[in-house]
Structure formats: C-alpha cells, structure tokens
Amino acid sequence: MEFFLEVLLGGLLAGVMYALVAIGFVLIYKASGVFNFAQGAMVLFSALTFVSLLERGVPFWLAFVLSLAAMVLLAVAVERVVLRPLVNRPPITLFMATLGLSYVIEGFAQALWGAQVHGLELGISDEPLELGGMLLSQFDIFAAVTAALLVLALSLLFNKTRIGLSLRAVADDPLAALAVGIRLQRVWVLVWAVAGFVGLVAGLLWGARLGVQFSLSLVVLKALPVLIIGGFTSISGAIVGGLIIGASEKLAEVYLGPIIGGGIENWFPYVLALLFLLVRPAGIFGERAIERV
Amino acid sequence: MNPVPILQIDAIEVLYEQAILAVCGVSLVVPQGQIVVLLGANGAGKSTTLKAASNLVRAERGEVVQGRILYRGEDVTRSTPHSLVASGLVQVLEGRHCFAQLTVEENLLTGAFARQVSRGQLKSDLERIYSQFPRLKLRRKSLAGYTSGGEQQMVALGRALMARPQLVLLDEPSMGLAPQIVEEIFEIIQQLNQRDGVSFLIAEQNINLALRYAQYGYVLENGRVVSEGTTGELVARTDIQDFYLGGGTAGKGAAA
Ligand SMILES: Nc1ncnc2c1ncn2[C@@H]1O[C@H](COP(=O)(O)OP(=O)(O)OP(=O)(O)O)[C@@H](O)[C@H]1O
Ligand SMILES: [Mg+2]
C-alpha cells in the first residue's frame, strides 16, 4: 500500500510538469483558437536563452527577466508576422503556420545560441525526501509548488484585472469583443507573451531535469494526451489531465510493466488519450457550450 | 442650415470575400439626436450597412470598396472598431452576442474598456446602467449565457452604453423576443434618446414597432435603398406595409 502511494504521488508530481506545458497551449487556444504547435519550440527557446545568459555570467534573476523579455518580443513578432496576416483563416491554416513557426524558432535558437547540450542547475537537489514513510523527489515537490504559484498568478490575472477580463471576452466571442472596442491584436500579443512566460517556467523545470537541448521541444508530444484528456480550453483541465497522465503512466509502468515487458511509460498516455477520445471527445473540462435562445 | 449629422453614409459598396456584393450605393443620414430605422427583408443588407459603419465588416472578410462614411463630419471609413468605440460609435450586434461565459456584470464592464476610466468611474457607470435595467442588477452574478433572451438583449445594450456612446447602431433588437419585452426595450431606447441625447440607427424587421419610435426610415432591398422618408410618410405608404407585413396583418411581435 505504501509503495502504491509512493508511486502514485511520484506520478502526480511528474504530471505537474506535463500540465505546465499543456497550460501554455490552453492559453493560446482559448484566446485565438490556434493549436500552437510552436509551444514546444517556445519552451526550448526560452530555456536556451536563459542558460546561455547564465553561462555568460548574467545573474539568475536578470537572466530570467531577459529571457522573459525575449518571449515578449517573440509574441509581438508572432502577432505581426503570423496572426495578423492570417486573421479569419481556417484553423488548419493557422496550425500549419505554427508548425512552420516552430522550425523558425528552433532554427533561430540554434543560430543564436548553438546546438550543444547545456546543463541547468536551479539549486534544487534531486535527493529524495522522506515524507510519512514515502520517498518523494525534492525536485518534483519544488516543481509542483512552482506550478501551483503559476496557476494562482494566472487565475488572479484572469479574474481580477481588466486585461484578464478582455482576454476572457476575446476567448468567448471575438466579434463581440471587437464590437465593444477591445483591441484583439493587443490581446493576442499578451496571450502569446503569457504563454511564453509559462513556457519559460516549464523550460527551466524540464531543462533542469533533462538538460537544455533540442529534444526539449518534444515535450509538446507529452502535452498532447494531457490536452485530449483535460480539454483544450480549460486550465483546470490541463492540470487534471497532467495529473492523470503522470499518475497513470507511473502506475502502469510499475504494475503492468513487468507483465508486458516494460517501456510502457512512453506510449501509455496515448492509449489513455485514445480511450478518452472515444468516451469524451471534448475532454473532462472541455467547455460546456452554453446554448440558449 | 443643417448642423453636421452624427452619421453620414455616402454611396457605399460592400464586398465580402472580394466577390460577394452585399450592399451597393447605399446612402443614409442620421441627424444628431434622432432615431433612424433601417427596414428590409432577410438578406437586404441591413446588418452589412451597420457593420460597415462600425467597421466590423473587416472581421468578417468584408470591405467597403466604394463610398465613404462620415462620423460627426469626419471620414471614418478606415478607422478601427476600437477608435470608433472610443469616440462614441458603438454597435449592438444582431443576435446579441453576449459573452456567454462571463457574468452579466463582467459583460457590462467590458463595454467601458475602450475608454480609459478609473475604477470609481466604472462603478458609477455600472450603477447608472443598473438604474436603467434594474433586472440586470438582480442577475449581475449570473453567467450571461444562462439569462433569458430579453435579459441578454439588455446586457448587450447596457454593455454598449458603458462606452458612453453618442451613436448606437442597433441590429434587430426585437429578434426572437416576446412583444412586451420588445416594448420594454424600445421604451428604454426612447428614454436614452430623449433624456441623454443618444442617436440611434436601428435595423429592424418589425416595421410597425420601428416606425412608431423612429423619426426617419430607409427601406433596403437587395443591398440598395428603395425608399425613404419620415416615419409618417412611410406608414402612409401602403405598398411598404403590404410588402413587409404580408398584406396588412400585424407583424410578429408588434404590440397593439
Ligand atoms: N460574412 C459574410 N460573407 C459573405 N456574405 C455575407 C456575409 N454576411 C452577409 N453576407 C451576404 O450579404 C447580404 C446581406 O446580408 P445582411 O446580413 O447584411 O442582411 P440583413 O438585411 O441583415 O438580413 P437579416 O435580416 O437576415 O439579418 C446577404 O446576401 C448575405 O448572404
Ligand atoms: Mg441582419
């Protein structure tokens, strides 16, 4: 029983890391209806910028702020060059554009900072911590707390500020938002910048775990099943989806693994997502469309 | 002799997707402080004309390719919706378009975002709207998507009023509503017009009702103005009555 709990908790904590990547998707999808394939590239670009600055002797917080500034610049550029010209195009066109964008960002990151693997030390030891008889990774706990703070900050932004309200209005009905005088383009820049910030946090945590390298952009693929399970439009969905994926893949690895020969962790989330697609195509938290005449 | 009209549309032509001609050579004038109504059957081009003035046509891949639009004498044919709202020209869209997932109060608040106002000012503006629509105050914390059609129309109108408009473009406010609710909404419109001096350009299919509250009317057909006149003149024109009311019977929603 103790062992089960330990695996479960470890899985949940790992799931938080998936949720972080998924939240970046949800933000952009909600506000502009775009499935942003470039989210992974943004995670990579921000983390790479951060480490490279750190390696050049820039202090931690300054490097963080500069990386954030880079993400804001990226958001402005994306709005100008990609979103504005493609406004009102079908979603598939925008999706293809973000696919292209992800290569551009990766290429740019490589040209700017080189292609070698960087180690990233956040100063959190990965020593297991004993809690009530269970061994839990200190790093995972740190990541979970960071994610919780981030989600709290986002919910304050969304619910307590004018900008947040404009953002939700645009997500709800872009034409009506335009009609009341909300500037869509500004809101898009803002959303992409916030998604960039989330990407930076995710990038630092994932980078500290895996090293900052090009495979970091592949965390997108981990976020996909999370989004299918949680729904594309809900931040809570992204969190719950992340936790479900994290917990189930660890449990499957430990309990099913020995029976079918291990290596389950890599494909199990996709199978789970497929099952969800059959049962609840909109995801657990997929927007309840309010229909009323 | 005439002061500058609040809105003047000069022979505009609107194309959707660079191919579909929706409105052709439409000219109209909304004098300062008046209620002008735009009549016409489905697809006549009423909404397109309003959206040309508020410049929302571009969001639907439409474009004003000919003519020009003057707001308080200034050419605004290429202005952004934001700057138009900020200068007092607001549209209430057909079908109300409330933010369904936002509360009634949040919906109202968004209406004031184009103006740069303090929190205190927002609060007092909200109270002003609530005094006009007491029903909305009771429903302030409900999601707009769960309110009734009449309440949604009030939300949409109240939201537009939060911009402190001088001209409201109102697209089919009576659509799908019970007669007494429609009456209530038109009474509020009249009050806003008479007390606060807000001008209105209203697209309506409910011709009886519209002619009762407006001072002047235009009739659109296939994207062109086919007749116009004071409401007295239009009421006397039996051909219009017959055409739109199907032989003189009362239109739906027209209260006696
Ligand atoms: N977004 C669009 N794309 C292409 N064509 C459009 C679009 N919107 C309207 N049209 C066309 O333009 C013409 C005028 O439409 P409009 O909506 O202005 O009419 P309306 O008078 O408001 O009708 P209704 O009473 O049904 O609201 C119609 O033929 C319509 O099919
Ligand atoms: Mg219409």
Side-chain angles (χ1 to χ4, degrees), chain A residues 6-271:
Chain A
E6 191 175 303
V7 174
L8 179 68
L9 268 174
L12 288 174
L13 289 172
V16 168
M17 302 273 285
Y18 301 146
L20 267 182
V21 181
I23 287 172
F25 278 100
V26 169
L27 286 171
I28 288 179
Y29 188 81
K30 259 180 95 82
S32 47
V34 182
F35 180 83
N36 176 26
F37 192 81
Q39 186 69 25
M42 284 162 65
V43 168
L44 168 72
F45 176 60
S46 59
L48 200 58
T49 305
F50 179 82
V51 217
S52 305
L53 289 172
L54 219 53
E55 282 169 1
R56 282 162 181 72
V58 179
F60 187 94
W61 285 111
L62 185 60
F64 187 83
V65 169
L66 288 175
S67 310
L68 194 56
M71 298 314 285
V72 173
L73 280 182
L74 181 67
V76 172
V78 166
E79 193 275 316
R80 280 283 151 78
V81 180
V82 182
L83 300 180
R84 201 178 292 187
L86 293 182
V87 69
N88 281 326
R89 295 300 168 83
I92 186 71
T93 309
L94 283 158
F95 171 71
M96 296 308 277
T98 67
L99 202 66
L101 183 66
S102 76
Y103 285 102
V104 173
I105 296 175
E106 280 172 31
F108 179 70
Q110 192 156 6
L112 195 63
W113 302 120
Q116 67 276 36
V117 179
H118 303 256
L120 173 58
E121 193 48 68
L122 293 177
I124 317 296
S125 78
D126 214 349
E127 303 247 308
L129 195 72
E130 210 183 311
L131 265 182
M134 288 177 294
L135 288 177
L136 294 174
S137 149
Q138 253 184 54
F139 184 84
D140 282 347
I141 293 173
F142 171 76
V145 171
T146 308
L149 288 176
L150 186 75
V151 169
L152 187 72
L154 286 179
S155 87
L156 286 178
L157 173 75
F158 276 116
N159 295 308
K160 299 285 175 221
T161 67
R162 283 183 208 188
I163 289 172
L165 192 48
S166 312
L167 241 145
R168 281 156 57 215
V170 170
D172 197 303
D173 188 334
L175 184 63
L178 213 53
V180 296
I182 291 172
R183 275 171 281 198
L184 284 191
Q185 290 157 347
R186 279 202 180 184
V187 169
W188 286 338
V189 169
L190 189 91
V191 165
W192 279 72
V194 172
F197 173 63
V198 174
L200 173 61
V201 174
L204 296 190
L205 293 172
W206 278 97
R209 172 62 58 79
L210 305 174
V212 177
Q213 55 186 319
F214 276 80
S215 63
L216 208 53
S217 62
L218 297 179
V219 294
V220 191
L221 299 180
K222 277 285 188 190
L224 209 55
V226 173
L227 291 167
I228 290 172
I229 290 178
F232 279 78
T233 52
S234 158
I235 290 187
S236 337
I239 296 165
V240 173
L243 295 178
I244 291 177
I245 293 286
S248 62
E249 73 174 18
K250 287 286 183 303
L251 290 173
E253 183 70 41
V254 170
Y255 291 103
L256 285 178
I259 304 170
I260 4 185
I264 288 190
E265 231 176 303
N266 291 324
W267 53 261
F268 188 76
Y270 295 95
V271 174

Side-chain angles (χ1 to χ4, degrees), chain B residues 190-219:
Chain B
Q190 189 168 45
Q191 192 197 351
L192 288 164
N193 175 250
Q194 291 174 354
R195 200 193 55 193
D196 304 336
V198 181
S199 310
F200 284 88
L201 176 58
I202 306 178
E204 256 301 347
Q205 300 211 38
N206 188 334
I207 163 170
N208 267 345
L209 182 81
L211 291 179
R212 197 137 50 81
Y213 286 94
Q215 280 103 42
Y216 202 86
Y218 292 86
V219 181

Side-chain angles (χ1 to χ4, degrees), chain B residues 16-17 20-23 40-49 51 57 60-62 94 171-172 175 203 205 220 223:
Chain B
Y16 284 112
E17 326 220 359
I20 305 163
L21 184 61
V23 155
N42 289 114
K46 304 182 295 295
S47 299
T48 302
T49 305
K51 280 187 279 195
V57 271
E60 306 206 314
R61 287 201 262 170
E94 179 178 325
D171 200 347
E172 300 210 29
M175 192 196 241
Q205 300 211 38
L220 284 182

